[in-house]
Amino acid sequence: MPSSTIQWFPGHMAKARRQMEENLKKVDFIIEIRDARMPFSSRNPLIDELAGKKPRLVLLSKMDKADPEDTKRWIEALHNEHTSALAVDLIKGGFKNKVIARSLELNKAMIEKQKKRGIRPRALRAMVAGIPNVGKSTFINSLAGRKAAMTGDRPGVTKSLQWIKAGSDLEVLDTPGVLWPKFESQESGLILAALGSIKDDVVHMDDLAIYCAKYLSEHHPERLIETYGIEKIEETPWETLEAIARKRGWLQRGQVDENRTMRTFIQDIRSGKLGRITWELPPVADAHQSEAADDAEEAAKREDEQA
Ligand SMILES: Nc1nc2c(ncn2[C@@H]2O[C@H](COP(=O)(O)OP(=O)(O)O)[C@@H](O)[C@H]2O)c(=O)[nH]1
Ligand SMILES: [Mg+2]
């Protein structure tokens, strides 16, 4: 069962939280994995509470699918005294030494303190945490050079903990902390569903398609124009989708086949046909987001009225 189909009942959440609290006592810092295409929506704010003052290395995974310029912006925005961010392609690899170097830097104060007290610094210890599907197992397995993180997928599954050695300076718990995706805003729900990180039966395909068409019209109009060979971006996202459908022949008896259009468009987004896209920008540059969510809400309302 893919981890994205986990049903998060309150009992699961409480157990996952307790397990994370237990494991956190054993580590110096946290490696939090978020999806580079949605660094905001793929986080669970509970981690701030649980992490307390422990340093945090945020890995923006799936950088191969995110817009490189937007990833740079996110990395800058995430950087602060206790937090450092790195973009990674967990499938391609080649991140291990960067992760180690960054971990040493993040924990410099503690290492210095140990040295001053005459203690030879031991390997740094970290736990990996994040919502389902961000790449926790892929990361741990890659460090281990084998399949280590198997049972960690399910909240509350206990087993004996093992340390995965990433060289002599870093050890990572083989069991990741699994947090649940948050649905605090309608936008986050739409983005998580559009990227396949939550089941899409909790949102309408139409809302997803309209939201994505609107976001792309505003941020990457050229992608829509080039991918589908349309003339221009129309006044509304739906009109743009209609133009795409006509161009592509997603028709039924000469009319735009709405279902097929919405479904195929979302499939194209998920398969990466429209290129590397980041679906949300760091807070400062983020004026269009709520606007797009409002539109999706309006579209849903219209649909309800029609029904
Ligand atoms: N393209 C790409 N896919 C990734 C990356 N990291 C993980 N994946 C894929 O994302 C899916 C979820 O990864 P997994 O490690 O199971 O996530 P987990 O639920 O957090 O343990 C798998 O299909 C991985 O192959 C990445 O950096 N790039
Ligand atoms: Mg996993």
Side-chain angles (χ1 to χ4, degrees), residues 118-132:
I119 304 168
R120 198 164 123 244
R122 54 160 175 75
L124 291 169
R125 294 188 151 177
M127 87 172 285
V128 175
I131 68 166

Side-chain angles (χ1 to χ4, degrees), residues 66-132:
D67 184 282
E69 288 304 314
D70 290 341
T71 298
K72 270 189 214 152
R73 287 190 193 114
W74 269 109
I75 285 179
E76 269 171 42
L78 286 167
H79 187 86
N80 69 39
E81 199 188 338
H82 302 290
T83 308
S84 176
L86 260 183
V88 288
D89 177 346
L90 295 173
I91 306 272
K92 194 168 155 213
F95 50 81
K96 191 166 145 181
N97 289 336
K98 274 188 224 159
V99 168
I100 294 170
R102 207 53 89 80
S103 302
L104 288 167
E105 204 178 299
L106 255 182
N107 290 280
K108 212 162 52 191
M110 188 197 72
I111 295 169
E112 284 305 313
K113 221 192 254 169
Q114 286 181 339
K115 275 189 187 155
K116 258 187 206 148
R117 297 200 340 241
I119 304 168
R120 198 164 123 244
R122 54 160 175 75
L124 291 169
R125 294 188 151 177
M127 87 172 285
V128 175
I131 68 166

